[in-house]
Amino acid sequence: MLRYLRENTGNWIIKIFLRIIVIVFVFLGVGSFGSKRNDSIVTINDESITIKEYQQAYKAIVDQMRATFGKNLNDDILKALNVKQQALDSLIEQKLVLAQADKLEIMVSEKELQDNLFSIKAFQKNGRFNIDQYKKVLSLNSLNPEIFEFNQLNLLRQQKVKDIVLSTVNVSDFEARDWYIFNNTQTAVDYLQFDPDNYSGIQPDEKQINSFYAENKDRYKSEPKLNAVYLKFSPKDYQDKIKITQANIKDYYEQSQEQFKIPQKVEARHILIKVAEDAKEEKVNEALKRAQDIFDLTVKGEDFEQLAKQYSEGPTKDNGGYLGIFDKQSMVKPFADKAFSLGAGEISKPVRTTFGWHLIKVVAKFDASIQTLAMASENIKKGLEQLEMQNLAYYKAGEAFDAVIDGDDFEQVALIANKKLVSTKDFDISGQGLEIEDNKSFASACFDLNTDAISDVKEIGGSYYLIKIVKKIEPVLQAIDIVSDTVLKDLKLKLQIQKAKEDAQLIVSKISDGKTLENLSKENNFVLKSTKLFTRNSSVEDIGNSSAFVQASFSLSENNTIFPEIIEVASKYFIVGFKEIKYPEETEIIENLKTVKTQISSKKLSQYYQAWVNELKNNSKINYDNPEILN
């Protein structure tokens, strides 16, 4: 069942040249010309999504994510991002939109299709479409022009539907103006903080401890545990079966020239005179004068390295301000722009960055170049070998999963795969008890499985697994003497939080007309604190990200000086009072209006289109023939 997928995704060419195209294929149903087996997982009106289409879509998204997360990609991330549902939702959307294209009789001309094919860089040589390259890339991926062009045509039809749906969406200047003011207005507040940590003297007695334990028994049960058997398909198991030819290496090199470009680089020293990004003008000018005085010393011929050791306030001071060799992207923009504009041996006048004022001396400059094939060959070979081993491990795991789908028991699957079934010890959700590369991800995958069920292929720690749960060990209540320290800690925290909340509520009850937060703090001997200016979308210094705190703060004004309720943020309690509000300047609004309209338009188009798709779903008959596929 999965063999077509594996045979057509195992080649490294797909991952390098056709990543986007492959995703288009799987969402449009490549392979639908083939087998008609009744393996539908979702039926939309009268059209089915097959398990093959779903597996292809899921694998394509995972490949895309692997390019982003690399080795950090694990089952927890896949679950957190709900990739299985993403894949299925995308397929459903594609089917619905194509049905609308049929209803609207939307066509794509031969000229439109041709222009689209000519624009795909994978089919180009020297910036122009090349028919031999086109045939070669399709052949390498076991595709023929008929299937490829059919899917590209459908992709263009979908885009036309989307263009029609979104043709009436626009953003007015008035809407953009309101949006900018709303999101860029700043406020600052005074506040009283009631922190449970300040009530550490609370000591519960034995009766309270026993009562708390009795009322919260579910919190003090042992961790549930599992016992499993698994088959592991590790890429390194197949290293003797991989052979990368010089032709493979050359092909990769020629098609991936961007990867081997070495950017222009600079070797430099600097002298930093620190000044905060938000410092007052007086402080900024004072730091600038010190930097200018040092610059004048360099003009007189004094040694830059010695001046850096004497005056620089940066971490490279002891090394004479030496920064090493770096490319333009490695430094903040103002610094990089100046450094790369200087010639070797030149020293800049003071340059301002978020860190302060810099004097920059360029020691040497290195022109941009490109690695030769000979220089890059060994690294290319290693990379391709690793990719091929990874693909072969996945292929073998997929063959074993085919046997599971065909109804073989796990012992038979192991024989077919020529693998030994490995048994685990009892383990909990954190992976304690396991001896596997990524204990936590393995355990997490297992706790989603039913007893005696065999998982689909799981990628864990760079290897592929098929897993079967043999036994589930239910949690049991632990005696109080075993968990006494935890019970005491939990109870103390609860009482501290209660006391902090009670004190905050007591102060709130004393709010009256004309009374300020400063009055309340003095009357009750509390320390009054203040925030810096913040927007509705920013984190509040010393408070963090709290929508409740932000909403309360922006509800205040000179006529409404104290928020009448306590606000909870991370088990701390706050009373908030008005301090100041700052609206964006008119010149700032006008300057940003065009950018804001573009931002709102993009968001509005996305929301409008999604709403339209949701309406299609609501008006369609969608049956989940195999809902277990998402588990």
Side-chain angles (χ1 to χ4, degrees), residues 5 23 26-27 51-66 73-75 77-79 82-88 91 394 456-459 629-630:
L5 165 65
I23 290 176
V26 299
F27 287 150
I51 193 169
K52 180 192 289 185
E53 289 176 300
Y54 167 76
Q55 290 280 4
Q56 287 177 306
Y58 178 79
K59 179 68 165 57
I61 293 176
V62 172
D63 281 347
Q64 277 286 88
M65 293 179 65
R66 188 176 291 113
L73 184 65
N74 56 40
D75 206 51
I77 294 175
L78 295 177
K79 282 199 297 185
N82 206 5
V83 173
K84 289 184 176 182
Q85 190 66 55
Q86 278 188 51
L88 197 55
L91 288 167
Y394 172 76
D456 58 4
V457 178
K458 302 286 185 183
E459 182 178 356
I629 198 74
L630 296 176

Side-chain angles (χ1 to χ4, degrees), residues 81-98:
L81 296 176
N82 206 5
V83 173
K84 289 184 176 182
Q85 190 66 55
Q86 278 188 51
L88 197 55
D89 287 346
S90 297
L91 288 167
I92 291 170
E93 179 181 324
Q94 297 284 356
K95 301 284 187 182
L96 290 171
V97 175
L98 281 174

Side-chain angles (χ1 to χ4, degrees), residues 152-167:
Q152 287 300 103
L153 183 143
N154 274 339
L155 178 65
L156 293 172
R157 293 179 72 222
Q158 287 179 79
Q159 186 58 50
K160 285 191 174 187
V161 172
K162 189 171 184 178
D163 291 343
I164 291 171
V165 171
L166 299 179
S167 60

Side-chain angles (χ1 to χ4, degrees), residues 194-379:
F194 300 82
D195 188 343
D197 288 347
N198 295 333
Y199 300 86
S200 56
I202 293 176
Q203 293 296 332
D205 58 32
E206 188 174 348
K207 182 179 178 181
Q208 287 176 300
I209 293 171
N210 288 331
S211 176
F212 184 78
Y213 170 77
E215 292 168 1
N216 297 276
K217 287 183 177 180
D218 285 346
R219 295 171 63 173
Y220 304 109
K221 288 183 177 180
S222 61
E223 291 287 336
K225 293 186 177 182
L226 297 178
N227 191 286
V229 292
Y230 63 85
L231 297 176
K232 178 181 178 182
F233 300 82
S234 173
K236 66 182 180 183
D237 294 342
Y238 304 98
Q239 56 189 359
D240 294 338
K241 300 183 182 297
I242 302 302
K243 182 174 177 59
I244 302 298
T245 66
Q246 194 60 36
N248 296 146
I249 295 170
K250 184 180 179 183
D251 197 11
Y252 181 94
Y253 178 80
E254 290 176 349
Q255 297 291 344
S256 309
Q257 286 291 287
E258 285 295 322
Q259 183 178 333
F260 303 106
K261 287 182 178 178
I262 301 171
Q264 183 186 24
K265 292 187 178 183
V266 157
E267 183 179 12
R269 296 180 183 274
H270 82 137
I271 297 170
L272 171 64
I273 303 301
K274 288 184 178 180
V275 61
E277 187 176 8
D278 58 353
K280 292 182 179 178
E281 187 176 356
E282 180 184 347
K283 291 286 186 183
V284 174
N285 290 335
E286 180 186 314
L288 173 59
K289 185 178 185 310
R290 290 168 56 204
Q292 185 64 49
D293 289 344
I294 299 167
F295 176 76
D296 291 342
L297 293 176
T298 68
V299 173
K300 293 176 182 178
E302 294 201 29
D303 183 69
F304 191 93
E305 184 176 346
Q306 293 305 314
L307 290 172
K309 289 180 178 179
Q310 184 176 353
Y311 294 111
S312 182
E313 297 171 355
T316 60
K317 173 180 179 175
D318 293 341
N319 292 325
Y322 186 66
L323 294 168
I325 299 172
F326 52 88
D327 60 37
K328 199 168 185 178
Q329 303 305 315
S330 301
M331 296 292 175
V332 292
K333 191 174 188 305
F335 187 101
D337 287 347
K338 178 54 68 175
F340 279 80
S341 71
L342 298 172
E346 288 187 325
I347 299 172
S348 75
K349 291 183 177 181
V351 178
R352 177 83 187 274
T353 74
T354 55
F355 305 103
W357 291 101
H358 304 257
L359 301 178
I360 307 166
K361 178 177 180 179
V362 171
V363 178
K365 295 188 80 169
F366 305 90
D367 292 336
S369 61
I370 188 165
Q371 268 188 300
T372 63
L373 176 59
M375 293 165 61
S377 183
E378 188 59 32
N379 284 336

Side-chain angles (χ1 to χ4, degrees), residues 25 51 74 79 96 100 102-103 124 178 197 222 262 276 293 342 382 391-392 398-402 415 482 490 529 539:
F25 285 173
I51 193 169
N74 56 40
K79 282 199 297 185
L96 290 171
Q100 290 300 304
D102 292 340
K103 184 184 291 187
Q124 295 177 359
D178 279 356
D197 288 347
S222 61
I262 301 171
D293 289 344
L342 298 172
K382 287 178 181 177
N391 288 337
L392 189 52
E399 279 190 329
F401 184 56
D402 280 349
L415 287 173
I482 296 175
D490 291 346
K529 298 182 179 181
S539 177

